Amino acid sequence: MTTSASVPTEPGDAISNGGTVTDRLVEANERYAAAFTDPGMDARPVLHVAVVACMDARLDLHDALGLELGDCHTVRNAGGVVTDDVIRSLTISQRALGTRSVVLIHHTGCGLESLTEDFRHDLEMEVGQRPAWAVEAFRDVEQDVRQSMQRVRTSPFLLHTDDVRGFVFDVKTGLLREIDPT
């Protein structure tokens, strides 16, 4: 696996030529598109599963779970928290695109463990407007996984709540540890 942190910038890269990171990404996409062939896939995930995970850059979900393009839906946000928007995405995933299973993945060393709702207050003081969203900070990652499982299992909008499992990914070992929902 190659990470962007381990990829040296060549003299011709956008960043070294005064471009931005976004310029570098667009150039990478042009190279990707030049060799791209339509895989002929449907939008429905082959494995009928949706994965909800933290946006942390250390989580390579496809590699960690042995997934291929088209296998699953992936919903990511700060903390992998099951918010109203995650329920919206899971509802569309299940009702319109046929998923039946939900896998929740939090991880060790999450940045939300070091934040509090004071973050919202400080932001309000800085910009003059209170965010409509909650930070959803937590101190106990296992308890937060349990709360996320409960939110999915009790949502009236989801058709399939019998196969909802939660895990903590260890960023040091790469292993998943399943969390008992009780």
Side-chain angles (χ1 to χ4, degrees):
M1 178 181 83
T2 302
T3 63
S4 60
S6 64
V7 176
T9 38
E10 299 293 326
D13 281 355
I15 295 173
S16 61
N17 289 333
T20 67
V21 171
T22 304
D23 293 333
R24 178 177 153 203
L25 299 177
V26 170
E27 288 174 8
N29 174 258
E30 290 169 358
R31 290 188 299 275
Y32 171 81
F36 184 79
T37 56
D38 179 1
M41 294 178 174
D42 188 284
R44 293 174 185 83
V46 173
L47 299 179
H48 307 286
V49 63
V51 177
V52 178
C54 184
M55 66 185 192
D56 192 294
R58 296 172 290 180
L59 277 65
D60 184 344
L61 293 175
H62 276 73
D63 269 357
L65 301 175
L67 296 168
E68 299 293 329
L69 182 67
D71 281 349
C72 73
H73 283 157
T74 306
V75 181
R76 295 181 79 158
N77 66 23
V81 176
V82 177
T83 61
D84 287 345
D85 193 60
V86 169
I87 293 295
R88 178 188 71 86
S89 293
L90 290 175
T91 301
I92 292 166
S93 178
Q94 286 189 357
R95 290 182 177 264
L97 297 165
T99 60
R100 300 186 59 84
S101 300
V102 178
V103 174
L104 305 169
I105 300 178
H106 287 38
H107 65 92
T108 57
C110 185
L112 283 187
E113 291 176 292
S114 63
L115 291 177
T116 66
E117 289 300 318
D118 288 341
F119 181 84
R120 264 176 92 208
H121 175 73
D122 295 345
L123 194 55
E124 179 182 9
M125 297 287 82
E126 180 184 328
V127 302
Q129 182 177 341
R130 185 165 186 82
W133 39 264
V135 174
E136 299 272 358
F138 56 86
R139 296 278 178 237
D140 182 338
V141 68
E142 290 184 15
Q143 182 55 35
D144 201 61
V145 171
R146 286 185 195 95
Q147 177 177 300
S148 293
M149 285 190 279
Q150 185 65 16
R151 285 179 177 173
V152 171
R153 288 186 172 135
T154 59
S155 173
F157 305 110
L158 299 175
L159 295 172
H160 307 289
T161 58
D162 55 321
D163 188 13
V164 178
R165 295 171 64 185
F167 300 85
V168 173
F169 177 86
D170 187 314
V171 297
K172 301 288 186 200
T173 67
L175 288 172
L176 288 176
R177 179 171 38 90
E178 187 157 10
I179 302 303
D180 185 340
T182 57

